[in-house]
Amino acid sequence: DVVQDVLLEVNVAEEAAKSAFPPAEIPRAAERALEAPHVRVRGLMTIPPAASAPGENLPYFQEVARLYIDIGEKLYDNKLSYLSMGMSDDFEDAIAAGATLIRVGSAIFGRRNYPA
């Protein structure tokens, strides 16, 4: 009887190295999730390509925000709660596009040092 809250992940730039739903498949994935009795979609999330300049990821964030609004209106009676996008280097653009969750770990804790 457990129901799992989930965010559908959007591979907004359709990068081969990332696994997630391409933008065009999000509406169908959201429809299929409605059929799953133990899954409750709470929103969308995305991680765009690494940006080299401020504002570069804004179009990606805006695209995912449009998907969020669209499926929220059409399928979820405007009850989606979370639009997770933006990290330490681009969270301002994500907020400008409507993000409700951002990931800023490296801004708080510093960059990770990976062993060589």
Side-chain angles (χ1 to χ4, degrees):
D1 294 330
V2 174
V3 176
Q4 182 65 53
D5 289 339
V6 301
L7 302 179
L8 299 177
E9 185 172 0
V10 184
N11 184 351
V12 67
E14 299 189 37
E15 297 171 89
K18 292 182 180 173
S19 61
F21 295 104
E25 291 181 23
I26 285 293
R28 178 68 183 127
E31 289 172 356
R32 288 178 46 214
L34 284 170
E35 299 166 3
H38 298 287
V39 172
R40 180 175 39 230
V41 174
R42 300 300 308 276
L44 300 180
M45 69 162 295
T46 195
I47 301 173
S52 57
E56 197 171 288
N57 280 333
L58 186 58
Y60 293 121
F61 295 143
Q62 291 169 330
E63 180 178 354
V64 176
R66 283 190 296 272
L67 284 169
Y68 173 81
I69 291 167
D70 186 51
I71 67 167
E73 289 175 352
K74 292 179 180 173
L75 300 173
Y76 292 93
D77 297 322
N78 295 313
K79 293 182 181 171
L80 296 179
S81 301
Y82 303 107
L83 181 55
S84 177
M85 51 188 193
M87 298 174 80
S88 293
D89 292 335
D90 57 11
F91 72 90
E92 290 148 332
D93 291 331
I95 292 169
T100 62
L101 290 174
I102 54 173
R103 297 171 302 280
V104 292
S106 62
I108 297 168
F109 301 108
R111 301 252 178 235
R112 292 182 186 171
N113 293 320
Y114 293 100

